[in-house]
Amino acid sequence: MTTQGLDGVVAASTRLSHVDGEAGQLTLAGYAVEDLAPRASFEEVARLFLNTHDLARHRAIPDAALHLLEACAAARTPPIDALRMAAGTLSLEGEADTAKAVAAFPTIIGTYWRLLHNQPPVPVRTDINHAAHFLHQLTGTEPPPETARALETYLNTVCDHGLNASTFAARVIISTHSDLISAIAGAIGALKGPLHGGAPGPALQMVFDIATPENAEPFLRAKLAAGERLMGFGHRIYRVRDPRADVLAAAAERFYNTAGDRKLYALARHVEATALRLLREYKPDRRLDTNVEFYTALLLHGLGLPVELFTPTFAAGRVLGWTAHCLEQLRDGRLIRPQSAYTGPAGLTYAKNLASMPRN
Amino acid sequence: MTTQGLDGVVAASTRLSHVDGEAGQLTLAGYAVEDLAPRASFEEVARLFLNTHDLARHRAIPDAALHLLEACAAARTPPIDALRMAAGTLSLEGEADTAKAVAAFPTIIGTYWRLLHNQPPVPVRTDINHAAHFLHQLTGTEPPPETARALETYLNTVCDHGLNASTFAARVIISTHSDLISAIAGAIGALKGPLHGGAPGPALQMVFDIATPENAEPFLRAKLAAGERLMGFGHRIYRVRDPRADVLAAAAERFYNTAGDRKLYALARHVEATALRLLREYKPDRRLDTNVEFYTALLLHGLGLPVELFTPTFAAGRVLGWTAHCLEQLRDGRLIRPQSAYTGPAGLTYAKNLASMPRN
């Protein structure tokens, strides 16, 4: 008997989000993702999820976090690991405010990216909104409104998604009545895994590798004929198109109409259309559609974010859901403590088997 | 509908340990806990769980961990939080060896305790065993053999216990194919919660408060009459006596016969006997027996460990199980991704409800 992965097991009730994988619908605090994400500010979504009004006041990070990021930069630690370690120190200045991690993630990410490239961190500002501040922490300049809006739409789109593995990890941790920062640091640890958010590069890399529209079909046919997976297509939960893909596709369309590499955008759309056509040809019995990863990569790349920051940026959105789920778990939940099935030996006796082993 | 806590749901198969709550039996890698824990060295148990032979080689911690512990000491961070933060940096020097966290926990705990008390950390030694090294890191001196043996029995006894919340958190995190250190840092976050390992003091405090044998019965009667819980009695899984309590009771008996405050030990046994008698009187329909916490407190206190180090010491034992479960999950498991039941609103539309909210 192997591990079941808790497929289909209801492990928590939530008022935060609802994933309907059969219908291809995602509800965020009562709103359809395609209604809320492109129109609300991140601050408005944070108010829906956390009832918090003062994200901007919590953007600073402890000195110890800065020093840890310096050590991470010296060791060339991947940004998502640096985020995990630094986020874990946010309780150093006492019990963290509910919105602390949400507010501080852009500061950690921007500070680390600059340290990694021998640039001084940018002082925190409180007079620009969350999405703009994220980009400001990275670049030191205020981004154009359409760039900040595109990032805001992305952060809103990925801010929550039912009991995904990182959110579930956060709920398991806080279910012991531990603290919020412990839960969030654990959630980042889950998010960084390649089966969750930790492998966002390949979908975009495939578009780069294809390079020209006429190369799309032979390239993709070769992959499918070799039995390889097409990165950016298919999802464990959605049996139809991931609604987030549409939201991000529309955001990318808007963004690439005003800035960015319009030719890359057209190529990506052509690659997507070709991939969907060929997937129906090669795997007619499966419903593999474009997933959120494909348009995440296209959109974040357009905004000037390097591939190494895709997963940290995902975390900067999802931390809103993690935080809200933790508060909900503390309020409504109980200790999450499943059973295991034992498949090992039984009835061994120490004296016979181990007594002659050398002690060290 | 409220969260279920996954009671009775089998979330993983394991060859590592088996908790039979009805029979009051705990099997560790095929051995009864009462057979293995008091007789095997911690190194032998580590070999059973991890097949590792070189714990002693991995005792050093990164410079960044030391500096972080200094910052934690300056902020008077509780030791379990300092352990969580410092353990999270063990990947800073590259992908950590499988046994890294197990080997390094005593170094982190001892170093932090000394920094917190303005004492210089003790250089790591490789020529004494794990339990002795734990105490050496704290005190700078080699402990008497019976003290090291008592700690070793404790570490063995608590090294694994099925899918408890921290072990489950570790498995959820690593199920995304994240890294071992991320999973272990998350597990510490879960362990520190008061519903798991984060409230070990009260059982001992109760013994101190009772102070004299003749005060036991009136004190405990007053508590039970007021409807209060008796700390150190009862467990979510065990319906009969927790077998670990017996192992630790025997270890405490042996230890207090050679060292420590024999009078305190006698008082604790008297408190236990009185509590069990009164529990049967006040709650005849429930089977509340002495749990592992009661004897943990008595034993660790006898070894000279302060209450603040009880949970970190628990972690120093349980990290063996966390590590082994992570390797098992990576080998046999799949992504752990349960479902949630949505209980929130639906069909809200953004324009009507939010458009008039101020943007910031």
Side-chain angles (χ1 to χ4, degrees), chain A residues 235-249:
Chain A
H235 188 274
R236 169 145 163 194
I237 302 291
Y238 290 108
R239 298 290 161 233
V240 295
R241 189 167 168 87
D242 183 337
R244 299 171 299 174
D246 285 331
V247 177
L248 297 183

Side-chain angles (χ1 to χ4, degrees), chain A residues 1-19 27-32 35-36 39-41 43-44 47-48 53-54 64 68 71-72 75 77 81 84-85 87-93 128-130 149 152 161-166 168-169 171-173 175-179 181-183 185-196 235-237 328-329 332-351 353-355 357-360, chain B residues 1-19 27-32 35-36 39-41 43-44 47-48 53 64 68 71-72 75 77 81 84-85 87-93 128-130 149 152 161-166 168-169 171-173 175-179 181-183 185-196 235-237 325 328-329 332-351 353-355 357-360:
Chain A
M1 180 179 152
T2 55
T3 322
Q4 300 303 317
L6 293 180
D7 271 312
V9 173
V10 173
S13 300
T14 181
R15 298 181 55 82
L16 298 167
S17 66
H18 179 53
V19 181
T27 303
L28 297 173
Y31 299 86
D35 181 39
L36 187 71
R39 301 161 80 189
S41 70
E43 280 79 359
E44 283 167 338
R47 268 183 291 225
L48 288 173
H53 285 262
D54 54 0
L68 185 53
C72 288
T77 302
D81 286 293
R84 173 180 62 74
M85 293 183 213
T89 71
L90 291 175
S91 55
L92 263 178
E93 293 169 350
I128 49 180
N129 78 16
H130 187 77
R149 176 66 249 183
E152 194 161 42
H161 200 248
L163 278 194
N164 59 88
S166 59
F168 185 51
R171 286 189 86 125
V172 171
I173 292 169
S175 83
T176 70
H177 290 186
S178 183
D179 67 309
I181 295 303
S182 291
I188 301 173
L191 188 77
K192 68 161 275 192
L195 299 191
H196 189 354
H235 188 274
R236 169 145 163 194
I237 302 291
E328 191 177 59
Q329 175 72 32
D332 305 337
R334 54 174 306 212
L335 181 65
I336 299 177
R337 209 281 183 217
Q339 300 285 315
S340 48
Y342 184 64
T343 55
L348 304 181
T349 51
Y350 171 75
N353 295 274
L354 279 178
M357 288 176 76
R359 287 179 66 99
N360 62 357
Chain B
M1 180 181 152
T2 55
T3 322
Q4 299 304 317
L6 294 180
D7 271 312
V9 173
V10 173
S13 300
T14 181
R15 298 180 56 81
L16 298 166
S17 67
H18 179 54
V19 181
T27 303
L28 298 172
Y31 299 86
D35 181 38
L36 188 71
R39 300 161 80 188
S41 69
E43 281 79 359
E44 284 168 337
R47 268 184 293 233
L48 287 173
H53 285 262
L68 185 53
C72 288
T77 302
D81 287 291
R84 173 179 63 73
M85 293 184 213
T89 72
L90 290 175
S91 55
L92 263 178
E93 293 170 349
I128 50 180
N129 78 16
H130 188 78
R149 176 65 250 183
E152 192 160 44
H161 200 248
L163 279 193
N164 57 89
S166 58
F168 185 51
R171 285 189 85 125
V172 171
I173 291 169
S175 83
T176 70
H177 290 187
S178 183
D179 68 307
I181 296 302
S182 291
I188 301 172
L191 188 78
K192 69 161 273 192
L195 298 191
H196 190 354
H235 188 274
R236 170 147 161 191
I237 302 292
H325 273 273
E328 191 177 59
Q329 176 72 33
D332 305 336
R334 57 174 304 214
L335 181 65
I336 299 176
R337 209 281 183 215
Q339 299 285 314
S340 48
Y342 184 64
T343 55
L348 303 182
T349 53
Y350 172 76
N353 295 275
L354 279 178
M357 288 175 75
R359 286 180 64 100
N360 62 357

Side-chain angles (χ1 to χ4, degrees), chain A residues 73-147:
Chain A
R76 315 300 300 169
T77 302
I80 189 66
D81 286 293
L83 174 62
R84 173 180 62 74
M85 293 183 213
T89 71
L90 291 175
S91 55
L92 263 178
E93 293 169 350
E95 183 81 19
D97 182 90
T98 293
K100 181 68 196 172
V102 178
F105 269 33
T107 313
I108 295 173
I109 296 165
T111 297
Y112 185 61
W113 190 250
R114 292 179 69 84
L115 291 172
L116 207 49
H117 296 86
N118 302 307
Q119 294 174 306
V122 175
V124 160
R125 278 176 56 173
T126 58
D127 61 335
I128 49 180
N129 78 16
H130 187 77
H133 191 252
F134 185 112
L135 296 162
H136 189 266
Q137 280 288 306
L138 277 170
T139 64
T141 58
E142 272 193 63
E146 64 270 18
T147 306

